[in-house]
Amino acid sequence: MRIAQIRDFGLLCALFSLGLGGIPACSSSSSRSATPCQDGDQRPCACAGTSGVQLCASGSFGACQCGDGGLGDGSAGAAGSGGTAGAGGSAGQDAGPGGQGGSGLATGKSCAGLKPCAGGVSCCATAKVEGGKFQRDNDPAPEYTATVASFSLDVFEVTVGRFRNFVAAGAAAWAPVAGAGKHTHLGPDGLTGPEKETGWAAEWQAGVPLNDWNTALTTCAKNGNNKKPTWTASVGQNENLPLNCVDFAPAYAFCIWDGGFLPSEAELNYAFVGGDEQRVYPWGTPPALGPKYAVYEATTALPPEVGSAPDGAGRWGHFDLAGSLFEWTLDASSASYPLTPCTNCVSVSNMMHPRAIRGGGWESGAIDVAANRRYSWDGGGNNVGFRCAYPTPPTP
């Protein structure tokens, strides 16, 4: 299973040397600076053109460890390109993908052969969202109360390059089976609510192209003659741009193929407001808007690369939760939202549309870059993309 984690905020600090959503800026005197480092800190590196990670031990970073696996911590792991089956290894050795107790900036299969995203971080990096109770939409009414369990979430929105690897794998590799993509770490039923999470529905396969992806990802059905797709028929300059004009079913199928699932509406909103901090915007409260925080009201031909507004990172280090693209959620959109206070809840439907989207887009006005903005959506468009969620990595 794909596991990738930005551990604490030491990595983000070392990469960006910025104040991100309440994270102190790096300095030579910071205890989380790049050098010296604290044991357990990690940073990206490259060896022979392959992305990898370095682990801090005894105050300094060790050799670059490359391969499919995470960083082992002495526990056994499955075979990986840099590790052998069952080999636990000492700290800093590659123990294979998803090794027991492994952690770090592992590379998901959707990032194979891709250059890193902003700050040299793998486009497949994830960061853990610590669960808790919050008020959806920052609304104090009792029915907006929700509890969310911990999960991991893509640091960046899914890029053109990542989705290209999905397309290249072919339907035989990624076609989901009925019921796939549940939040199974929450129990056999995954998310619950008025109904239970169903996972992938067989009838959604009709919404996933088998061959003509170029047409499917450039149609931008919601935009008439004003289409602005980031997808290109062949590899080009757009590989680190967020994928737009993508429908719900292909987005969900991608997340399942890459080892995860689409986040629920409550999960995505929880990450947006910083959980119980109830932030007005992902980067904090009081509100502040502007291009260094979020990509919105843009007049460019296409949205910029993911992570282009680093000051807008959320509480746990996620970029573009506000602006860039609206993001698909697992939930069916309902006019009666929210029905009731809930724990790990979802609104399910076997109908592919409509689905709830959140977060605002690059062409949106400032009003959409807010915690309470949600839309009922039924197709791909210039302003719509997605990111995936995953079970939390095991604790090192």
Side-chain angles (χ1 to χ4, degrees):
M1 179 177 66
R2 169 186 180 276
I3 297 177
Q5 181 183 19
I6 288 185
R7 188 185 180 109
D8 298 324
F9 292 111
L11 178 59
L12 283 175
C13 182
L15 290 172
F16 297 106
S17 299
L18 293 171
L20 304 181
I23 306 168
C26 288
S27 70
S28 59
S29 61
S30 170
S31 63
R32 304 298 290 174
S33 60
T35 303
C37 57
Q38 291 188 353
D39 288 2
D41 281 355
Q42 299 158 29
R43 69 181 183 187
C45 61
C47 47
T50 302
S51 297
V53 285
Q54 292 173 286
L55 180 71
C56 179
S58 302
S60 62
F61 286 104
C64 188
Q65 302 291 328
C66 294
D68 294 333
L71 289 173
D73 66 346
S75 302
S81 64
T84 56
S90 58
Q93 291 181 344
D94 188 345
Q100 295 294 322
S103 63
L105 273 177
T107 300
K109 58 187 173 183
S110 65
C111 282
L114 301 184
K115 68 178 183 179
C117 281
V121 178
S122 168
C123 298
C124 289
T126 70
K128 182 180 179 181
V129 176
E130 296 287 351
K133 182 180 289 187
F134 80 119
Q135 296 299 122
R136 287 171 281 181
D137 300 358
N138 281 338
D139 192 309
E143 63 267 27
Y144 282 82
T145 302
T147 301
V148 171
S150 297
F151 64 102
S152 289
L153 187 67
D154 277 336
V155 168
F156 304 104
E157 291 168 330
V158 172
T159 61
V160 170
R162 288 182 66 186
F163 204 85
R164 195 180 303 282
N165 280 339
F166 166 75
V167 170
W174 54 250
V177 298
K182 287 185 179 181
H183 292 55
T184 52
H185 61 293
L186 300 176
D189 295 322
L191 298 171
T192 59
E195 307 93 358
K196 295 179 180 178
E197 182 183 16
T198 58
W200 180 264
E203 51 265 43
W204 296 343
Q205 185 61 54
V208 184
L210 297 178
N211 297 305
D212 192 2
W213 281 100
N214 291 331
T215 298
L217 296 173
T218 57
T219 297
C220 304
K222 304 294 291 186
N223 299 102
N225 293 323
N226 189 33
K227 306 178 192 304
K228 300 176 183 178
T230 56
W231 176 263
T232 55
S234 57
V235 175
Q237 299 300 311
N238 292 5
E239 300 308 288
N240 280 7
L241 268 57
L243 180 75
N244 65 358
C245 297
V246 60
D247 207 344
F248 166 80
Y252 195 8
F254 172 93
C255 290
I256 294 172
W257 171 77
D258 212 31
F261 37 79
L262 275 177
S264 70
E265 189 172 4
E267 287 171 334
L268 193 60
N269 191 226
Y270 183 86
F272 185 109
V273 302
D276 59 5
E277 291 188 1
Q278 300 291 160
R279 297 178 175 185
V280 175
Y281 297 105
W283 50 91
T285 303
L289 279 175
K292 71 176 184 177
Y293 294 107
V295 180
Y296 67 102
E297 294 182 346
T299 58
T300 53
L302 293 174
E305 292 190 358
V306 296
S308 293
D311 283 10
R315 176 181 177 182
W316 294 283
H318 302 91
F319 297 100
D320 303 320
L321 289 169
S324 184
L325 294 178
F326 279 97
E327 297 175 17
W328 287 109
T329 71
L330 182 60
D331 292 54
S333 181
S334 170
S336 57
Y337 166 89
L339 291 174
T340 180
C342 66
T343 298
N344 294 324
C345 59
V346 66
S347 174
V348 302
S349 171
N350 276 3
M351 295 179 62
M352 189 158 47
H353 300 127
R355 296 280 157 176
I357 58 172
R358 283 186 173 267
W362 63 297
E363 293 187 314
S364 298
I367 192 172
D368 285 335
V369 188
N372 64 349
R373 301 299 288 183
R374 61 190 296 271
Y375 287 94
S376 178
W377 211 246
D378 61 357
N382 294 343
N383 245 8
V384 180
F386 70 106
R387 75 180 76 212
C388 303
Y390 311 85
T392 56
T395 301

